[in-house]
Amino acid sequence: MKQSKSGVWVSWNKNISYNYKSLYSIKTEQELQEVIANTDKVRFFGAKQSSADIAAGTDTLIDITTYNKILSYDDSERTITVQSGVVLGDLLEAIESKGWCIPCLPDINTITIGGALATGTHGTSGNLLSEYMIACSLILADGSIKEVNERDKLMDAVRVSLGVLGVMSTITFKCEPIYTLHVKEGPESDKEWLPKIKERLQRHDFLRVLWLPHTDKGYVITGDKIDPDTKIKENLGPKYLKHRRKTSKILYKYTHVFPWITAIANKLLYRGFFNSRKEHKGSLYQATVTKSRGSTLELAEWTIGLDQFPIVFEELKKEINKWSNKSFIHIPMDIRFVYKDNSWLSYAYKKNIVTMGCVSRNAATADTYEAFKSIESIFLKYGGRPHWGKRFTAKDNQLTKVYEKWEAFKLLRSELDAKNKFLNPYLTELFNEIKN
Ligand SMILES: Cc1cc2nc3c(=O)[nH]c(=O)nc-3n(C[C@H](O)[C@H](O)[C@H](O)COP(=O)(O)OP(=O)(O)OC[C@H]3O[C@@H](n4cnc5c(N)ncnc54)[C@H](O)[C@@H]3O)c2cc1C
């Protein structure tokens, strides 16, 4: 295995960096076991795209991205087994070529499977990605392997586990037959789209709302399963729409100095980029997942029960529209829907939820972005839960109130990793563990 001595680990958007003493790029399960067994403290990382400080911060680090083979398929069961460093885009291409799909996908394809599962990565109008995992091998703190499958109670804890119970090594996903989505997109006023959420979730196979703060508008995207041969009137809108992210970046350039510019920029972005209707078709992956991003960003995301969402939304909107509040929010706030599951640290543990993203297009000035503070305080007030891979400040004493299984998870973590091998400084504080 390749080992590099001392260097600096830097996250994708450059907001987190750490010196390390040893970095291992592993290619086999045995190498993974060996490094874990022979170190006192270790973290492991995939594409480094999390905004939360969970992937590094220990002297020894393991790069999982070189552990990225597709291992096997079972055609009759429609399952695929992969090493955890495989990139989501590669996994999806492999299963699409089989005529299969995973029916709920995040809006990014460059993340690793290990990173995605560990942080509870989700898509829209379906389950978390981790709900499609039916088995995995977990490398425990002593370097031994634990096989976990759907019949084990442990699976509900492992599915979303922040890489603190062990390192997921090989992972088996259950897939579904691929389908074609007929996607329609267009703007609607808040008065129109907000009351229609439940009805649309019943009617459509896909629903996403890109909320446009400071404009009173949302951009609604619906998708319906159709026969792939169905003819549709394709309309991809004007060609310049592809420059939306670049234009946003320019318009928001000085919003950390003069936050109010955001309100004007958003009105312009709405008129330029969210004011036309689109219609197209394709697989879920081809029709709805962003394939490339020109620049980095910083993200927060909060989740709340479906029934509570309208109240939380109205309060957030009222708050950010006050000029006394400096929370001018960049476009868009991504609103998505996740169905209930049984995973202990899932945002959707036993209830259907709505997720609401909050983006700062200036990653470097994210510390001064008031919007992250406003969204956190409003969602927490209503029992909302933060996305594990994104930016938030809540710790143990708040998380225990919003996650029913938080204490059970902590107990399990301390049993499986009694010496806190897998805790970096951020995770030590998150779980309120004593540093050792
Ligand atoms: C532009 C962008 C768009 C995004 N879109 C979405 C979205 O649509 N939906 C959504 O839910 N999230 C989304 N995210 C968040 C993203 O999915 C998570 O942050 C994800 O963890 C990133 O994967 P990664 O490979 O970069 O993991 P890293 O950031 O490298 O690692 C994340 C965590 O996973 C752990 N980990 C890595 N590999 C393993 C393993 N094999 N076993 C156990 N633990 C492991 C690491 O130790 C770390 O704690 C988005 C992020 C960005 C930057």
Side-chain angles (χ1 to χ4, degrees):
M1 96 188 86
K2 208 173 128 207
Q3 183 189 358
S4 333
K5 293 270 177 208
S6 69
V8 185
W9 182 94
V10 184
S11 65
W12 172 71
N13 69 11
K14 300 193 173 65
N15 272 355
I16 307 169
S17 64
Y18 282 108
N19 293 327
Y20 59 79
K21 290 193 178 145
S22 299
L23 170 63
Y24 295 90
S25 297
I26 55 109
K27 287 198 173 230
T28 66
E29 190 165 68
Q30 287 75 7
E31 289 174 354
L32 190 54
Q33 288 179 272
E34 208 180 295
V35 180
I36 291 172
N38 295 318
T39 40
D40 293 337
K41 283 262 176 206
V42 63
R43 281 309 292 165
F44 25 91
F45 59 88
K48 306 195 272 189
Q49 292 197 280
S50 297
S51 290
D53 185 4
I54 48 176
T58 47
D59 284 347
T60 304
L61 294 177
I62 302 174
D63 180 353
I64 298 279
T65 57
T66 44
Y67 186 56
N68 59 0
K69 287 199 178 64
I70 290 175
L71 299 174
S72 63
Y73 299 90
D74 182 332
D75 289 347
S76 59
E77 291 295 316
R78 230 182 276 120
T79 63
I80 181 170
T81 302
V82 297
Q83 293 176 334
S84 61
V86 80
V87 166
L88 181 63
D90 294 342
L91 171 79
L92 296 175
E93 274 169 30
I95 63 174
E96 285 212 347
S97 71
K98 284 279 196 183
W100 305 344
C101 75
I102 293 176
C104 192
L105 297 176
D107 192 17
I108 182 166
N109 64 352
T110 51
I111 53 178
T112 60
I113 293 303
L117 296 174
T119 56
T121 293
H122 63 87
T124 191
S125 324
N127 291 111
L128 294 191
L129 200 57
S130 54
E131 291 297 305
Y132 299 95
M133 173 174 79
I134 55 164
C136 76
S137 60
L138 195 65
I139 313 295
L140 301 178
D142 62 1
S144 63
I145 301 181
K146 178 140 188 78
E147 302 292 342
V148 188
N149 65 40
E150 281 188 305
R151 290 179 297 282
D152 294 324
K153 278 210 173 113
L154 192 59
M155 191 55 138
D156 286 339
V158 169
R159 279 206 161 98
V160 181
S161 49
L162 316 182
V164 298
L165 301 183
V167 187
M168 287 177 186
S169 173
T170 62
I171 294 158
T172 302
F173 285 101
K174 176 88 176 160
C175 304
E176 292 187 7
I178 198 165
Y179 55 84
T180 301
L181 267 188
H182 180 191
V183 180
K184 292 183 184 168
E185 314 182 11
E188 278 179 25
S189 71
D190 293 346
K191 282 199 186 94
E192 229 178 313
W193 67 261
L194 189 62
K196 285 193 190 157
I197 288 177
K198 281 196 179 167
E199 174 214 320
R200 278 183 163 147
L201 283 173
Q202 297 271 331
R203 195 146 47 94
H204 300 290
D205 299 298
F206 179 95
L207 176 65
R208 181 175 183 180
V209 181
L210 303 179
W211 187 50
L212 313 173
H214 315 294
T215 70
D216 295 328
K217 300 277 192 306
Y219 184 80
V220 180
I221 307 172
T222 60
D224 300 298
K225 289 182 187 174
I226 51 165
D227 184 289
D229 298 327
T230 309
K231 295 254 175 307
I232 62 146
K233 241 172 130 190
E234 189 177 81
N235 168 15
L236 295 176
K239 281 216 169 79
Y240 66 78
L241 290 185
K242 66 172 183 268
H243 299 300
R244 165 172 65 95
R245 289 189 173 87
K246 214 185 284 167
T247 311
S248 311
K249 185 106 185 144
I250 296 167
L251 289 175
Y252 292 140
K253 191 162 180 200
Y254 295 105
T255 54
H256 60 292
V257 187
F258 305 110
W260 53 268
I261 296 177
T262 307
I264 300 164
N266 287 7
K267 286 181 177 63
L268 294 173
L269 288 167
Y270 162 66
R271 278 174 203 281
F273 295 95
F274 293 96
N275 202 11
S276 50
R277 307 198 71 81
K278 282 205 230 171
E279 194 169 336
H280 51 108
K281 69 173 184 176
S283 68
L284 180 70
Y285 179 45
Q286 298 308 339
T288 68
V289 178
T290 304
K291 310 294 183 308
S292 75
R293 280 187 171 79
S295 55
T296 62
L297 33 82
E298 180 77 339
L299 294 166
E301 185 174 63
W302 283 82
T303 71
I304 193 80
L306 181 59
D307 291 329
Q308 283 166 295
F309 177 70
I311 305 167
V312 176
F313 175 81
E314 293 295 0
E315 184 164 332
L316 182 78
K317 183 172 169 182
K318 201 166 144 201
E319 188 60 30
I320 66 170
N321 281 343
K322 279 186 203 154
W323 280 67
S324 55
N325 182 324
K326 302 274 185 301
S327 296
F328 292 94
I329 306 187
H330 295 175
I331 272 176
M333 292 189 87
D334 202 347
I335 297 172
R336 291 178 282 177
F337 309 91
V338 181
Y339 299 134
K340 63 181 164 196
D341 59 44
N342 290 313
S343 300
W344 291 6
L345 295 193
S346 161
Y347 323 112
Y349 179 72
K350 297 209 189 292
K351 65 176 174 200
N352 296 331
I353 53 146
V354 180
T355 72
M356 190 171 200
C358 183
V359 57
S360 167
R361 301 216 171 258
N362 302 331
T365 58
D367 283 347
T368 59
Y369 194 62
E370 285 294 318
F372 289 147
K373 295 176 197 156
S374 295
I375 189 171
E376 173 153 357
S377 80
I378 291 171
F379 271 74
L380 263 184
K381 182 171 138 193
Y382 288 93
R385 298 167 175 169
H387 189 300
W388 297 115
K390 303 189 183 180
R391 178 184 271 247
F392 64 93
T393 63
K395 296 282 182 291
D396 177 61
N397 60 346
Q398 283 133 326
L399 298 173
T400 191
K401 291 182 201 145
V402 294
Y403 280 96
E404 279 166 57
K405 286 285 191 179
W406 181 249
E407 295 304 327
F409 185 86
K410 278 176 65 179
L411 189 63
L412 177 67
R413 192 209 67 75
S414 61
E415 281 165 12
L416 291 179
D417 181 16
K419 294 191 174 153
N420 297 335
K421 182 178 279 197
F422 296 133
L423 295 190
N424 69 2
Y426 173 89
L427 290 163
T428 304
E429 225 189 314
L430 192 83
F431 287 103
N432 194 21
E433 291 294 346
I434 297 153
K435 292 188 180 97
N436 67 7

